[in-house]
Amino acid sequence: MKALRDALAPLAALVILLALWETVARVFSFNPMVLPPPSTIGLEASRSAGSLLSGALSTGRSALVGFGLSTGVGVLAAIILSSSRVLERALYPYALFLQMVPIIAIAPVLVVWFGHGARAVAVSSFIVSVFPVIANTHTGMRSVDPALRDMFRLYGARRVATLWKLELPASLPHLFTGLRVASGLSVVGAIVGEWVAGVVEGDSGLGILVLVANRQGNTALVFAAVLAASALGLLLFGAVSLTGERMLRRWHPSASGS
Amino acid sequence: MRISGIRRTFSGGVSVLDGLDLDVAAGSFVALVGPSGCGKSTLLRMVAGLDRPDAGTLTFSPPLEHTPGARPPIAFVFQDAHLLPWRSVLDNVALPLELAGVPAPERHASAHALLQEVGLGDATSRYPAQLSGGMRMRVSLARALVTRPRLLLLDEPFAALDELTRNRLDDQLLALWKELGMTVLFVTHSLSEAAYLAERVVVLSRRPARVMLDRRLALPPERLPALRADPGFAREMGLLLQALEQGEAA
Ligand SMILES: Nc1ncnc2c1ncn2[C@@H]1O[C@H](COP(=O)(O)OP(=O)(O)OP(=O)(O)O)[C@@H](O)[C@H]1O
Ligand SMILES: [Mg+2]
């Protein structure tokens, strides 16, 4: 019931926006290649539902693999960075460097390394989405309550026990912040990856669909594919948020410090 | 426990302890009071082995060695409860035993027993966020005692609580001390709390801390709430206050 009420305002805004868009596009009778009205996009979407769906599946799979890699590698990297000050100083700049990599520029290299297809696309998705996971988890592990660290030390806890029973659980809220950001980025990374490394025949993703539709002058389909990609990102974001909420339900932030 | 000639200077040249001596008999309850910033927490941390003295020695007889796998002999209670918010009350209390490798049924039984003693027997499956400040502190106390430590260090443990809750926790602590017989070193800012709880009160001067007064209180061993209104209690408090003021001015 509450979810319905929460959804009401943005839904109303959407309806108004679409109506406005439709009116403007019709009244000024824009060339549909420049700005197709929502009704045209809707029609195009239902006509190309098949390729949109298979595109979304393909892109979704790559983004999911990229996101999974980001989660695993990101947490691992954060653990390594947090394990010693020396390692942190030595390696953090390179983690930062990873974020600065202009993915469009490096994507051709990914093709050289991984060939055309899903593998290179997933790696692109990973590169784009891993940094927020590293940075947030690292921050979380660094900001563990020092008194709790002392307590673990007093009780002779081993390094692994401190990691599993203190540092990782304590950084869960931070980790999920990173994962939420990464979820959206992983779809962006997959689309960009497809532009450079995607395959046109067979298993082609939404990024390819955008390219092809654009070349054909089918702007309505471009919009439809972009919307599908956004929906994909939103879906992943929602799943991550829900998981996070479930895992953190018991300890709201007011309790985490004491 | 014998502390002799202990010295600690922090980077920046802040000399906090400069040759402090203190003997604490096994099984006794000693309160430590002194001006803010005089080095009480620093001293407690060194006793716990969380910080190293620059000079001087700390000796325990019989020795308090922590052999891996055995129950750790020292416990520490901080000013705030510092519970793990993702763990239930029971699992929080059982944590020290878990870290020492005690099997689950045994550590849960110990945790249960202690929670019962601090009056939280029916809150074992709750989470820290669902508890009041006083309840959290009791969980923290139970966690410290679950290992049956030989030495219990408390650094202003109940300072953040209201007076009634604090008095109740003081009584609970006393009962647990009588029952378990560990040595207690209790840092507090409240002279009445020190006088009510301890057999012996040590008043420290301001930094670098020296012992201004080391007094075995002339009060009955049985501490009951009525004691707070006793003239003897007021006299002891007067003496402590005088020493504290001298230590602050020194
Ligand atoms: N890690 C540290 N590095 C530098 N200075 C420190 C450190 N820890 C404590 N100090 C300084 O040492 C002095 C004593 O600190 P300590 O915490 O032991 O005092 P305290 O007696 O416990 O005070 P309070 O009653 O306010 O808790 C303070 O001046 C503090 O600033
Ligand atoms: Mg202190």
Side-chain angles (χ1 to χ4, degrees):
Chain A
M1 203 48 225
K2 188 181 174 299
L4 209 69
R5 223 174 323 125
D6 284 348
L8 216 59
L11 266 178
L14 181 70
V15 169
I16 292 171
L17 181 79
L18 288 179
L20 219 65
W21 181 352
E22 186 81 35
T23 319
V24 169
R26 281 181 189 279
V27 167
F28 298 96
S29 56
F30 273 127
N31 180 348
M33 256 188 76
V34 179
L35 186 68
S39 56
T40 314
I41 297 174
L43 249 125
E44 183 58 48
S46 67
R47 193 173 329 138
S48 314
S51 52
L52 277 172
L53 195 67
S54 75
L57 278 178
S58 169
T59 304
R61 217 178 309 120
S62 303
L64 220 53
V65 173
F67 177 75
L69 279 174
S70 283
T71 308
V73 174
V75 171
L76 207 66
I79 290 174
I80 292 170
L81 286 176
S82 313
S83 65
S84 90
R85 285 276 173 201
V86 178
L87 275 180
E88 182 184 3
R89 261 201 301 275
L91 297 179
Y92 200 79
Y94 300 101
L96 202 65
F97 180 75
L98 203 63
Q99 195 203 15
M100 305 303 171
V101 166
I103 189 67
I104 268 289
I106 199 149
V109 181
L110 296 182
V111 175
V112 174
W113 288 347
F114 301 101
H116 280 275
R119 203 124 56 98
V121 175
V123 171
S124 163
S125 161
F126 158 72
I127 291 177
V128 171
S129 61
V130 70
F131 187 75
V133 183
I134 301 179
N136 281 285
T137 312
H138 179 60
T139 305
M141 291 180 71
R142 274 266 162 258
S143 42
V144 171
D145 180 358
L148 286 176
R149 280 190 193 281
D150 280 346
M151 190 183 75
F152 271 67
R153 207 145 62 86
L154 181 68
Y155 289 131
R158 271 186 291 257
R159 191 73 197 83
V160 189
T162 307
L163 182 69
W164 270 111
K165 293 177 179 172
L166 177 62
E167 292 172 337
L168 282 180
S171 43
L172 267 187
H174 285 89
L175 169 64
F176 271 101
T177 305
L179 290 183
R180 275 198 296 271
V181 178
S183 64
L185 287 178
S186 70
V187 175
V188 173
I191 301 272
V192 171
E194 284 170 356
W195 281 356
V196 181
V199 286
V200 181
E201 340 55 64
D203 193 24
S204 63
L206 290 173
I208 297 293
L209 204 61
V210 167
L211 281 188
V212 172
N214 196 42
R215 206 167 306 145
Q216 292 167 348
N218 189 349
T219 310
L221 185 54
V222 172
F223 270 99
V226 168
L227 280 176
S230 307
L232 208 58
L234 223 56
L235 200 70
L236 200 52
F237 180 89
V240 170
S241 297
L242 210 68
T243 313
E245 255 164 53
R246 287 184 149 260
M247 287 183 77
L248 303 175
R249 198 170 27 188
R250 292 217 171 88
W251 45 308
H252 49 87
S254 63
S256 61
S258 57
Chain B
M1 177 184 81
R2 162 165 292 169
I3 297 169
S4 61
I6 219 160
R7 204 181 300 257
R8 184 74 173 98
T9 306
F10 285 110
S11 51
V14 188
S15 172
V16 176
L17 297 168
D18 191 10
L20 185 84
D21 301 305
L22 195 66
D23 274 11
V24 177
S28 62
F29 196 129
V30 178
L32 217 54
V33 295
S36 182
C38 77
K40 304 180 294 295
S41 297
T42 307
L43 181 65
L44 234 51
R45 288 176 57 80
M46 288 193 294
V47 172
L50 293 170
D51 191 6
R52 275 181 196 291
D54 298 323
T57 53
L58 265 161
T59 43
F60 300 96
S61 57
L64 284 185
E65 258 158 51
H66 183 192
T67 40
R71 298 184 170 208
I74 302 179
F76 205 120
V77 177
F78 304 90
Q79 180 169 353
D80 297 304
H82 294 289
L83 304 176
L84 304 180
W86 56 87
R87 281 183 171 234
S88 69
V89 165
L90 187 71
D91 284 332
N92 261 292
V93 174
L95 176 74
L97 295 177
E98 187 179 332
L99 293 175
V102 175
E106 195 186 328
R107 64 176 188 251
H108 283 151
S110 300
H112 245 298
L114 261 166
L115 280 165
Q116 210 85 48
E117 290 202 47
V118 297
L120 285 175
D122 50 2
T124 52
S125 57
R126 295 221 234 158
Y127 282 76
Q130 305 166 318
L131 304 178
S132 70
M135 290 165 97
R136 264 181 241 164
M137 213 54 231
R138 279 188 279 167
V139 176
S140 188
L141 190 59
R143 177 180 63 189
L145 291 173
V146 80
T147 57
R148 309 273 149 159
R150 304 242 316 276
L151 174 60
L152 177 64
L153 307 169
L154 304 101
D155 195 354
E156 300 178 39
F158 312 138
L161 304 176
D162 69 90
E163 195 150 342
L164 279 180
T165 311
R166 180 181 203 168
N167 291 348
R168 208 168 316 127
L169 275 162
D170 283 346
D171 285 329
Q172 258 167 4
L173 175 63
L174 273 179
L176 286 162
W177 170 59
K178 294 231 164 83
E179 186 195 327
L180 303 174
M182 66 282 183
T183 311
V184 178
L185 208 53
F186 189 101
V187 169
T188 176
H189 276 292
S190 158
L191 292 181
S192 68
E193 191 178 35
Y196 183 72
L197 287 175
E199 301 172 297
R200 179 181 155 205
V201 177
V202 176
V203 181
L204 298 175
S205 72
R206 55 165 237 238
R207 218 176 58 211
R210 281 178 301 108
V211 176
M212 290 304 294
L213 176 73
D214 184 346
R215 182 167 170 80
R216 183 161 293 283
L217 301 182
L219 294 173
E222 201 61 45
R223 305 298 165 89
L224 299 168
L227 182 68
R228 296 181 200 277
D230 192 274
F233 188 73
R235 194 167 51 242
E236 292 294 344
M237 291 232 339
L239 283 172
L240 297 178
L241 184 62
Q242 196 186 350
L244 190 63
E245 278 169 346
Q246 276 171 8
E248 188 118 44

